[in-house]
Amino acid sequence: MKKLVLLSSFFGIVLSIIGQLFGVLTDFFISGIARLIGVLAGILVLLGLKSRNTEMQAFIVSSSTALGIMGAGILYFPAAIVNVLIGFKLNKKLKEENTKDRSE
């Protein structure tokens, strides 16, 4: 999962910066701020690695996906797809933890 998180954050940060540098949408000031939100969403995924709680990791990944799509739009979709894969892994891990707790 660590490799997926690094890949997602790399896609999110790099593609958002490319969108910022080349002005993919418009030259308005608001879209520049939105691109920075895409970069912050990529950094947010990295913070998910620090959390030990699976529920918190799932929340961080989902909020990062939402922020990234709102901020960088279509440019964030590769990172969002990787985030969905991370979400599936976290969901599986969470189900395993819940079944382990019930059996004990």
Side-chain angles (χ1 to χ4, degrees):
M1 189 172 87
K2 186 175 180 179
K3 290 180 183 179
L4 285 176
V5 169
L6 292 175
L7 182 68
S8 172
S9 64
F10 174 76
F11 278 151
I13 293 169
V14 170
L15 292 177
S16 296
I17 289 174
I18 286 173
Q20 177 74 28
L21 291 175
F22 293 111
V24 172
L25 292 178
T26 61
D27 291 332
F28 291 123
F29 180 69
I30 299 299
S31 66
I33 293 172
R35 295 286 178 221
L36 291 178
I37 292 174
V39 172
L40 290 175
I43 293 171
L44 186 63
V45 174
L46 286 175
L47 293 177
L49 285 176
K50 293 291 183 183
S51 176
R52 300 284 182 219
N53 188 356
T54 307
E55 293 171 351
M56 183 58 75
Q57 287 176 340
F59 175 74
I60 289 171
V61 169
S62 62
S63 63
S64 168
T65 304
L67 277 175
I69 290 175
M70 286 189 308
I74 193 90
L75 293 176
Y76 201 80
F77 276 137
I81 291 170
V82 176
N83 281 351
V84 168
L85 294 174
I86 294 169
F88 284 137
K89 287 191 175 233
L90 287 174
N91 191 20
K92 183 179 177 182
K93 185 178 177 182
L94 193 59
K95 284 182 182 180
E96 289 173 0
E97 287 178 0
N98 286 339
T99 56
K100 187 189 305 183
D101 289 342
R102 289 183 185 167
S103 65
E104 291 178 354

